[in-house]
Structures are given as structure tokens and as C-alpha cells.
Amino acid sequence: MQCPACRTPRLQPTQLDAGLHGYGCSQCAGTLVGLLHYRDWVERQPATDVSGEFAAEEQADDTRHALSCPKCAKLMSKYQISGTRANRLDLCGSCDEAWLDNGEWQLLKALELSHKVPAIFTDAWQRQVRQQASEEARRERFTRIAGADALARADEVRAWLKDHPQRRELLFYIGHD
């Protein structure tokens, strides 16, 4: 099998984590992981991740171009990890194989998602990611317009209003000058 990202080196057996095997690329450090092997690994692991191995400001690599599955040569689909990270995991729907670019496994562990990889490939997860990205963009836009202090103050007011018994009346009052 050849690397789907570099397209030249042959993938070699590697260990992504203790007991989790895949096929790695010596050039780009990406890894192909069979979800069948992954699910077996998850069943044998404790349910908690160990965070802190990946600094929050660091970015894992992410291939931007479409990848072909090294096993069947079909195009792999891209699935975004979260609404706050640009990284996307590649999945071959035919072979049930996932491609992790260099650093993405460490990113998944830091985000406490290493035990939830199959969930990332679901419609519900991707819908949640889009909502998260939309909220983040809205917050950034508001911050540019009104400033970080105003955003913090607005968050305080929103939190106060959230469960207030006269929420509707207060919102009506605020909305009318």
C-alpha cells in the first residue's frame, strides 16, 4: 500500500498507541487505521484520555486535497473533528479505514476524542461541528464589532437571562427603545 497523502512511500506496520496498530508513512508520518482494529483497541482501554501531550496552540497536519484509499483506491471522505479546529479525518466508506495525518492522533487525545473516533464520522457529529463553527464565527464577528469586553458583558447578561423567570419580558424591554 502506498501513502494516500505523499503518494510515493509504501506504508509500513506501525503502532499508533499501545496496542493500536496501523500502517504509517515514513515521509509524512500519517497513519492508516482500520476502524475494526480501533474498535477492538477501544474496548480494551480505560474510558479516559490523558490530555496535555499536545499544546493547545499547536496544529496537527491536515491534507487539503482529496485522498484515495490505499486499499481500494476509492476517494476518502473528509470529516471535521470540531468546530474550533480545521483538522479533518479521512475515511474510506468501503474499507472502513481512517487516515490520520501527522499529529492528528495527539490532537484527538488532547481533545479527549481518541475513544470517540467513529462518532466523528456520523451525521449528528458533523451537524454539531457546523453549529459549533457557526457560533464561533458569530462570537468572532461580535468581538470585532463591539470588542472583547462587550462580548464578556453580553455573555454575563445571557447567562443571567437564561433561566430568569421573566426572561421574555426582559428581552422585550431590552429590544424596545
Side-chain angles (χ1 to χ4, degrees), residues 4-177:
C6 302
R7 298 189 178 129
T8 49
R10 293 192 64 73
L11 297 177
Q12 301 296 322
T14 189
Q15 187 165 303
L16 194 59
D17 209 323
L20 180 57
H21 300 281
Y23 292 92
C25 174
S26 60
Q27 187 171 323
C28 70
T31 306
L32 184 70
V33 179
L35 292 185
L36 180 64
H37 298 292
Y38 167 83
R39 288 180 182 101
D40 179 58
W41 174 81
V42 167
E43 288 178 6
R44 293 181 278 117
Q45 299 300 308
T48 57
D49 281 313
V50 179
S51 297
E53 294 179 29
F54 196 84
E57 64 277 355
E58 289 185 51
Q59 283 288 330
D61 293 344
D62 188 36
T63 51
R64 297 289 173 209
H65 61 279
L67 300 181
S68 295
C69 176
K71 285 189 172 182
C72 71
K74 291 183 181 178
L75 282 180
M76 300 177 89
S77 300
K78 293 190 176 289
Y79 294 86
Q80 195 162 344
I81 294 172
S82 81
T84 59
R85 296 284 184 160
N87 288 79
R88 299 168 298 166
L89 301 182
D90 300 277
L91 175 71
C92 177
S94 297
C95 297
D96 210 25
E97 299 278 336
W99 178 257
L100 304 177
D101 292 305
N102 181 32
E104 283 182 336
W105 180 249
Q106 290 79 9
L107 176 62
L108 289 169
K109 289 176 76 169
L111 296 174
E112 298 184 355
L113 298 175
S114 67
H115 287 80
K116 300 174 184 174
V117 171
I120 293 170
F121 303 126
T122 65
D123 289 337
W125 186 279
Q126 293 303 304
R127 203 171 22 259
Q128 179 184 359
V129 163
R130 287 189 298 275
Q131 289 171 346
Q132 187 181 25
S134 177
E135 174 65 17
E136 187 68 23
R138 191 172 65 81
R139 291 180 64 78
E140 286 175 12
R141 191 170 45 252
F142 186 82
T143 301
R144 279 195 312 275
I145 293 168
D149 290 340
L151 178 66
R153 181 74 174 148
D155 283 342
E156 288 175 20
V157 171
R158 284 176 76 187
W160 175 72
L161 280 173
K162 183 179 177 190
D163 296 321
H164 197 284
Q166 284 83 34
R167 181 177 191 267
R168 289 179 192 244
E169 292 80 7
L170 289 167
L171 288 171
F172 180 79
Y173 176 78
I174 291 170
H176 289 82
D177 289 331

